[in-house]
Amino acid sequence: MTNPRVAVFGAGAFGVWTALELVRRGAVVTLVDPWGPGNARASSGGRTRVIRATYGSHVVYTRMAVRALKRWREYDTQWKAGLLRQTGALWLLGADTSFGDASAKTLRDEGISLDEVGLPDAERRFPQIAFEGISRVLFEPDAGYLFASRACAHVADRVVVEGGSYRQAAAASPVAIDGRGVGLADGSSLDADCFVFTCGPWLGTLFPDIVGSLVTPTRQEVYYFGVPAGDMRFASPALPVWLDCGEQFTYGMPADDGHGFKFADDTPGAVIDPTSDERMPTTEGVERASRYLAGRFPALRGAPLVGSEVCQYESTPDSHFLIDRHPREQRVWIAGGGSGHGFKMGPAIGEILAALVLGESTPDPRFTLERFKTPPTGGWAPKWS
Ligand SMILES: Cc1cc2nc3c(=O)[nH]c(=O)nc-3n(C[C@H](O)[C@H](O)[C@H](O)COP(=O)(O)OP(=O)(O)OC[C@H]3O[C@@H](n4cnc5c(N)ncnc54)[C@H](O)[C@@H]3O)c2cc1C
């Protein structure tokens, strides 16, 4: 079909990039979201996200991240939007170095830089970090961070500039499709030749019989701490993105833009309703974060909390993405399950989904619904790292 009409529901990272790619390939695209691209309830909301290619032995994600980074870089240069900052990423490994070992091998095999930094050298280069409990340090020079909500809004604008349209509306939940197209929450319908649902943590309720609990939204708190006045030790280039794979997986971003020093804990929180739950941080969470900072970044002991975000992961049982055709509705595609690592992949996901929708490829079995039919012996092993 030339110039098919495609409705993309959900203007988070997965949806905006899919819509842009489809527009560029000649489709007539309508991008739909109830609250706007990268809104405060979306998993793509908030200020920033890490982009890195280190994925243990999961070469499929390493390649996807490399592809996505190339596209982020190209588009950002072309748009002059300042969505990407390549600060590099500092990996702090604890007693268990298996993730670092596997990542180093994968990156080496793929010809991507990942530098081993000796501990004495790391202490010299990063005196603002206390390296207690750290056995090895790796530096990934091409990594960095992306502006999240702002990028979604920018890419959605590009969709419109390049000929697509944007509509503030919601698909009725659960999704109902008839001869008039997809039912909307206001009682009207939206018709198209194909429908793409990139609704992140809402996919389970939109498709209860197909997705259901296979995409589970969990509450994730993100904190911003104030750094001492005029102190550049916590901004890039003195401090890159850092990821601490010690007892718990925690990470943060340099305080580059006046919003403070970002800190987050990757441990999945309680299940959240992304539509109705409040977005206030918990006292315990803030205290835990302060304690961590005092240990790892001693000059930030007692630093005031200057901002916070409560977001959600939308995780699958194995933390792998979900990208598949609806098993009964040939015109419907479903993509999500970013599982705490989907944002960076936006441009690559857009290319994958556009090729599927336009009939140029078939779903990768690693990402299909079919894989959930036969859980591995011993159960799912969440988090690929
Ligand atoms: C705290 C935190 C830290 C993270 N860190 C990283 C990181 O460092 N690097 C990384 O790569 N990833 C990271 N992630 C994961 C990443 O942000 C997500 O996987 C990704 O943003 C998911 O994008 P999405 O488009 O699938 O979903 P979303 O961004 O949630 O988009 C779904 C959209 O669907 C819309 N919608 C809802 N209902 C309807 C409806 N009925 N009709 C139409 N539209 C609807 C919503 O409004 C929303 O805009 C992190 C996530 C969180 C929460």
Side-chain angles (χ1 to χ4, degrees), residues 36 54 72 103 148 163 173 181 207 258 317 334:
T54 28
W72 277 109
S103 298
S173 185
F207 296 97
I334 299 171

Side-chain angles (χ1 to χ4, degrees), residues 8-16 31-45 48-52 55 72 144-146 148 152 166-167 169-173 175 182-185 196-203 205-206 218-222 241 243 251 253 262 264-266 274-275 279 309-315 321 335-346 349:
V8 178
F9 291 89
F14 281 34
V16 294
L31 176 62
V32 181
D33 199 289
W35 300 294
N39 66 76
R41 287 175 169 111
S43 292
S44 306
T48 50
R49 296 289 186 275
V50 179
I51 180 158
R52 38 97 187 178
Y55 262 96
W72 277 109
Y145 66 91
L146 298 157
C152 292
Y166 171 76
R167 203 170 146 187
S173 185
V175 169
V182 166
L184 301 184
V196 181
F197 286 88
T198 46
C199 298
W202 288 268
L203 283 175
T205 44
L206 285 167
T218 59
R219 196 174 190 284
Q220 307 301 139
E221 299 193 354
V222 173
V241 164
L243 304 101
Y251 63 95
M253 319 267 180
K262 176 172 172 174
D265 185 331
D266 182 60
T275 301
R279 307 274 174 169
E309 290 157 2
V310 178
C311 190
Q312 65 275 313
Y313 288 164
E314 63 301 320
S315 300
F321 300 157
S339 307
H341 63 109
F343 190 88
K344 70 179 85 56
M345 305 295 196
I349 299 276

Side-chain angles (χ1 to χ4, degrees), residues 139-154:
F139 184 68
E140 187 183 347
D142 290 337
Y145 66 91
L146 298 157
F147 286 94
S149 173
R150 194 156 70 73
C152 292
H154 193 91

